[in-house]
């Protein structure tokens, strides 16, 4: 069977590419349904892009690589597509855009775009092997209990990374890339909760609060959630992409709160109150109880000197913790690293030394922040590859 283009992966990037790369396109996926990560994203409402999406929101060994694709298909282009399909949406915090209804609206939109370009979709299809030929590529796949050989001029790697293996994620894109001579940068779980081997935060599980979380590389002002295994929440997921095993993290529990002045004023007006009682006005009470044991917070406000209040504020502003690790790929939203961008054209996403081979989406060493950025990279990189293929027909 002959196709102009075979796309491996019916996720966000793969479907976006299929919608733009012209005639005789086949999309293959081993799953039962297309766009499964889209379906579960954003609590079922799909955080499909971010108003602030730009190169500065992405990690890569080459921080300039994403600029071309992001500039030629922006968040505004995707928003326009969503609007044309009548999908209602709303903005949450920090520029994050979500569907008012179901994330399935985004999947159905992409499937409709594929149908309009007559792209075929084979689900529950497994790739058995792939090889380069003079005319392009030959693929052997298993579908409905039988083996089929496919020939194509263009092969697009859009199978994502290793994150959430229970949904079928594998390192297939990396294996194929290496088979065809492309390099792979180190891969790690990213946008993932931190764990602590001693279970120190079990009694705080479910407590959340706004914090400023940082290490030597990055700083994020968002909420943090205590879990029975460690720490989660937006600020934690964000910082995890910049964290390495063994490193300490710094937690400011009172960002933008003039706590020292507040405590001094309260000391004048109600010095007989317990210090922990006053702290519980500004922080979750369960956390105050926990910290009172760890930081030896005790006594009435009247008992506290300016120096002791200053020390307390300093400790709350820079609570240093050293995670044991992360939850790993099991719960990671994305994979950091991947197919080395040195091997690819930033304009077309095509391998420089393997004509007709393209890599897009999460499979590539471009990883976005939490908040719709990774979907935008899927749209932008998928569009870049699709248009490059279409221009050759």
């Amino acid at each position: 069977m002959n196709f102009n283009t075979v796309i491996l992966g019916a996720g966000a990037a793969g479907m976006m590419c299929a919608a733009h790369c012209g005639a005789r396109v086949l999309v293959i996926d081993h799953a039962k349904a297309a766009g499964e990560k889209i379906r579960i994203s954003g609590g079922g409402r799909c955080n499909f892009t971010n108003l602030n999406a730009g190169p500065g929101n992405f990690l890569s060994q080459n921080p300039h690589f994403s600029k071309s694709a992001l500039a030629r298909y922006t968040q505004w282009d995707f928003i326009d597509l969503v609007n044309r399909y009548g999908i209602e949406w709303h903005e949450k915090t920090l520029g994050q855009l979500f569907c008012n209804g179901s994330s399935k609206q985004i999947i159905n939109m992409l499937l409709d775009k594929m149908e309009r370009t007559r792209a075929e979709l084979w689900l529950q299809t497994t790739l058995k092997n792939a090889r380069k030929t003079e005319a392009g590529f030959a693929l052997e796949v298993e579908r409905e209990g039988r083996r089929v050989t496919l020939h194509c001029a263009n092969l697009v790697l859009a199978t994502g990374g290793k994150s959430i293996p229970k949904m079928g994620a594998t390192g297939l894109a990396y294996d194929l890339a290496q088979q065809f001579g492309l390099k792979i940068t180190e891969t790690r779980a990213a946008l993932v909760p931190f764990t602590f081997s001693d279970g120190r935060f079990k009694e705080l599980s479910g407590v959340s609060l706004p914090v400023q979380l940082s290490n030597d590389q990055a700083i994020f002002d968002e909420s943090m959630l205590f879990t029975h295994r460690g720490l989660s929440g937006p600020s934690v997921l964000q910082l995890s992409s910049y964290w390495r095993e063994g490193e300490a993290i710094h937690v400011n529990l009172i960002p933008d709160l003039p706590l020292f002045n507040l405590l001094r004023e309260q000391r004048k007006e109600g010095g007989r109150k317990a210090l922990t009682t006053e702290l519980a006005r500004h922080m979750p009470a369960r956390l105050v109880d926990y910290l009172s044991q760890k930081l030896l917070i005790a006594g009435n406000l009247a008992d506290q000197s300016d120096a002791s209040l200053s020390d307390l504020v300093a400790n709350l502003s820079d609570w240093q913790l050293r995670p044991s690790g992360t939850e790993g790929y099991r719960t990671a939203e994305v994979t950091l690293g991947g197919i080395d961008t040195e091997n690819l054209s930033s304009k077309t996403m095509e391998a420089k030394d393997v004509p007709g081979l393209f890599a897009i989406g999460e499979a590539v060493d471009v990883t976005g922040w939490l908040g719709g950025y990774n979907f935008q990279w899927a749209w932008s990189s998928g569009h870049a590859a699709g248009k490059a293929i279409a221009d050759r027909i």
Side-chain angles (χ1 to χ4, degrees):
M1 301 183 70
N2 295 303
F3 295 89
N4 182 57
T5 305
V6 172
I7 300 172
L8 302 179
M15 288 194 287
M16 188 67 171
C17 182
H20 289 91
C21 60
R24 295 168 38 236
V25 178
L26 172 64
V27 181
I28 293 173
D29 202 297
H30 65 277
K32 294 181 179 179
E36 282 294 87
K37 280 194 175 180
I38 298 175
R39 180 182 61 81
I40 68 169
S41 68
R45 294 182 184 272
C46 188
N47 179 194
F48 57 82
T49 193
N50 194 295
L51 295 176
N52 304 312
N57 306 112
F58 294 86
L59 291 78
S60 173
Q61 287 197 352
N62 178 0
H64 303 290
F65 181 83
S66 64
K67 290 180 178 178
S68 177
L70 290 170
R72 287 182 296 115
Y73 193 87
T74 70
Q75 59 269 44
W76 309 110
D77 294 313
F78 194 78
I79 291 169
D80 179 63
L81 175 62
V82 168
N83 288 339
R84 283 189 276 120
Y85 271 80
I87 299 173
E88 296 184 348
W89 51 271
H90 61 278
E91 178 185 354
K92 283 193 175 181
T93 58
L94 304 174
Q96 301 171 61
L97 303 189
F98 291 78
C99 298
N100 285 359
S102 168
S103 56
K104 292 180 181 179
Q105 294 174 286
I106 300 294
I107 298 172
N108 291 335
M109 176 187 75
L110 294 170
L111 289 173
D112 182 73
K113 289 280 289 180
M114 288 171 56
E115 186 176 342
R116 290 170 183 265
T117 60
R118 298 184 179 180
E120 292 188 48
L121 174 61
W122 289 5
L123 297 171
Q124 295 181 281
T125 301
T126 305
L127 177 69
K128 292 300 182 181
N129 59 66
R131 60 185 174 85
K132 191 77 175 70
T133 66
E134 289 187 7
F137 302 86
L139 313 175
E140 186 177 354
V141 302
E142 186 172 290
R143 182 180 186 234
E144 297 177 346
R146 63 190 183 93
R147 296 224 174 181
V148 180
T149 300
L150 310 172
H151 296 275
C152 59
N154 304 296
L155 177 63
V156 183
L157 307 181
T159 57
K162 298 177 181 179
S163 56
I164 317 183
K166 70 179 180 181
M167 296 190 68
T170 68
L172 177 61
Y174 311 141
D175 295 338
L176 289 171
Q178 288 180 306
Q179 177 185 326
F180 293 118
L182 279 62
K183 297 178 182 177
I184 306 297
T185 67
E186 178 192 8
T187 57
R188 294 188 289 122
L191 299 183
V192 63
F194 289 134
T195 58
F196 292 78
S197 59
D198 56 8
R200 69 183 69 178
F201 299 129
K202 283 183 180 180
E203 63 191 89
L204 291 176
S205 182
V207 172
S208 91
L209 74 164
V211 302
Q212 184 179 83
L213 198 65
S214 63
N215 65 1
D216 291 339
Q217 297 186 59
I219 182 169
F220 292 98
D221 290 275
E222 295 186 66
S223 65
M224 182 178 77
L225 170 70
F226 292 93
T227 73
H228 69 287
R229 288 174 56 83
L231 298 173
S232 189
S235 64
V236 171
L237 300 187
Q238 296 280 38
L239 193 67
S240 70
S241 297
Y242 295 86
W243 179 82
R244 286 281 187 172
E245 286 74 7
E247 287 183 351
I249 60 174
H250 301 264
V251 188
N252 183 348
L253 295 166
I254 49 172
D256 303 320
L257 181 68
L259 185 61
F260 178 74
N261 292 333
L262 291 172
L263 292 176
R264 287 186 70 193
E265 289 300 315
Q266 191 59 35
R267 186 177 61 187
K268 296 177 183 177
E269 300 174 8
R272 299 171 69 177
K273 288 184 178 179
L275 176 56
T276 53
T277 300
E278 182 61 22
L279 287 176
R281 293 179 55 194
H282 308 290
M283 301 167 61
R286 284 168 61 193
L287 178 58
V288 172
D289 289 341
Y290 177 88
L291 292 173
S292 67
Q293 303 171 44
K294 302 297 180 181
L295 302 180
L296 303 179
I297 302 172
N300 296 331
L301 280 167
D303 301 328
Q304 313 301 318
S305 66
D306 282 359
S308 64
L309 291 180
S310 180
D311 288 343
L312 172 63
V313 169
N315 287 329
L316 296 177
S317 299
D318 188 14
W319 186 24
Q320 296 188 35
L321 299 169
R322 200 174 299 275
S324 304
T326 72
E327 293 280 2
Y329 292 117
R330 183 179 66 85
T331 62
E333 297 203 14
V334 291
T335 302
L336 191 68
I339 298 173
D340 197 326
T341 58
E342 284 189 5
N343 303 146
L344 306 174
S345 162
S346 62
K347 182 177 180 181
T348 66
M349 309 304 294
E350 184 176 18
K352 296 175 181 177
D353 298 327
V354 190
L357 180 66
F358 296 78
I360 57 178
E362 188 184 348
V364 179
D365 175 27
V366 175
T367 304
W369 287 5
L370 182 73
Y373 296 101
N374 287 291
F375 273 128
Q376 185 57 48
W377 173 244
W379 315 138
S380 297
S381 61
H383 176 269
K387 293 296 288 183
I389 292 169
D391 288 345
R392 298 175 185 177
I393 297 175

